Amino acid sequence: MDLLEAIILGIIQGLTEFLPVSSSGHLELAKTLFGDTSVPQESLTFTVVLHAATALSTIVIFRKEIAEILKGLFQFKWNEEMQFSVKIILSMIPAVVIGLAFEKELESFFGGKILLVGFMLLVTAVLLLLADKAKNTNKKVSFTNAIIIGISQAIAMLPGISRSGATISTSVLLGVDRTRAARFSFLMVVPLILGKVAKDILSGDINFQSSEIVPLSAGFIAAFISGLLACTWMISLVKKSKLSYFSLYCAIVGLIAIGYSLFF
């Protein structure tokens, strides 16, 4: 992987991790366009680096909220912070269970499955359109909501299903306030990403040559900076009910991906 390709993929990851257009789907499309020839180990290393970058950007954006949550947790009381943390844990369960139980099956969905990506982008488009038409409320995320949102996050492990799009759309359709929905969506993924990064590192599957330091670093920086911008922008867009634009975008890219897989 050369320097320019690493930067482009980093920007794609940073933008699409937060914007509701599927980061995994876009990375698969980008790799196909680039004629990706990297071996699985190299690809895994780069993916882990990019996810670590977007997790860091989330922590930076929500640093005050995270600090308040941690402060509340150490009071060891059933306060708002403790309840929020329990909801985050509940939302993680479906993805953790499915990720561990069907790890090999999930991996088989990646690696040039452009037709699948196309159809899943169409599903994302429908979800975003439905959420955009839903009425806004002042409702908070309940414990039951957290589990349902977690199920949508687990489904979003398929390439082409936007994680942020699926979780925010599910939250809004459940009647959760749009701002709270975006906040919960972005915070709920941080423990999962950090856990996945730690798992991949501890498994011994992650190692790289000194020649890979520059492109990996460039990809990390590109993903981190673009992630900061996308996360801030997405919060504003959700408040203003502008998800229909992304719905149209996902539909167009999905149809292009389907056409490409069928005719090229």
Side-chain angles (χ1 to χ4, degrees):
M1 181 178 296
D2 59 36
L3 184 60
L4 179 60
E5 183 179 341
I7 292 174
I8 292 175
L9 290 176
I11 292 174
I12 291 173
Q13 169 66 25
L15 291 176
T16 58
E17 179 65 35
F18 299 102
L19 299 180
V21 294
S22 177
S23 60
S24 59
H26 275 71
L27 284 177
E28 289 299 306
L29 295 175
K31 289 177 181 179
T32 298
L33 292 176
F34 285 138
D36 183 43
T37 57
S38 60
V39 297
Q41 185 175 350
E42 293 172 341
S43 181
L44 175 61
T45 301
F46 190 67
T47 299
V48 169
V49 168
L50 295 188
H51 278 97
T54 51
L56 180 60
S57 63
T58 306
I59 293 172
V60 170
I61 293 294
F62 291 102
R63 59 190 180 280
K64 292 182 179 179
E65 289 87 346
I66 293 174
E68 290 176 359
I69 292 170
L70 293 176
K71 181 180 178 181
L73 285 176
F74 284 108
Q75 294 177 3
F76 301 104
K77 296 179 180 178
W78 190 243
N79 51 29
E80 186 174 347
E81 291 78 15
M82 179 65 76
Q83 292 177 38
F84 186 84
S85 299
V86 171
K87 292 172 187 176
I88 291 290
I89 293 172
L90 288 174
S91 73
M92 292 168 52
I93 293 175
V96 171
V97 171
I98 293 177
L100 293 176
F102 302 100
E103 184 175 5
K104 297 300 181 181
E105 289 80 2
L106 287 170
E107 289 177 357
S108 68
F109 290 121
F110 293 82
K113 302 292 192 302
I114 304 304
L115 183 62
L116 173 64
V117 171
F119 278 113
M120 293 303 100
L121 281 170
L122 295 182
V123 173
T124 297
V126 173
L127 281 173
L128 293 174
L129 187 60
L130 291 174
D132 199 59
K133 295 182 178 298
K135 293 182 179 180
N136 194 21
T137 69
N138 293 318
K139 184 180 175 182
K140 295 182 179 179
V141 177
S142 68
F143 292 101
T144 302
N145 290 159
I147 297 174
I148 297 173
I149 297 168
I151 293 173
S152 70
Q153 177 170 247
I155 295 173
M157 296 170 78
L158 294 170
I161 298 288
S162 167
R163 193 209 64 81
S164 63
T167 53
I168 291 174
S169 295
T170 300
S171 300
V172 172
L173 291 172
L174 289 171
V176 177
D177 171 73
R178 294 178 184 274
T179 302
R180 290 190 176 99
R183 175 174 173 262
F184 189 80
S185 171
F186 295 144
L187 287 175
M188 68 188 283
V189 76
V190 173
L192 280 177
I193 292 178
L194 295 179
K196 181 66 167 61
V197 170
K199 177 180 177 295
D200 290 333
I201 293 175
L202 293 175
S203 68
D205 294 333
I206 303 299
N207 55 71
F208 55 89
Q209 306 298 322
S210 57
S211 60
E212 297 175 329
I213 294 178
V214 172
L216 286 174
S217 299
F220 181 92
I221 294 172
F224 174 69
I225 295 175
S226 58
L228 289 175
L229 297 174
C231 186
T232 304
W233 186 31
M234 185 59 188
I235 294 171
S236 175
L237 289 173
V238 173
K239 289 180 182 178
K240 298 176 181 178
S241 300
K242 300 295 184 181
L243 295 179
S244 59
Y245 297 116
F246 293 103
S247 173
L248 178 61
Y249 172 83
C250 288
I252 293 173
V253 175
L255 291 173
I256 292 174
I258 292 171
Y260 179 88
S261 65
L262 293 176
F263 300 107
F264 295 94

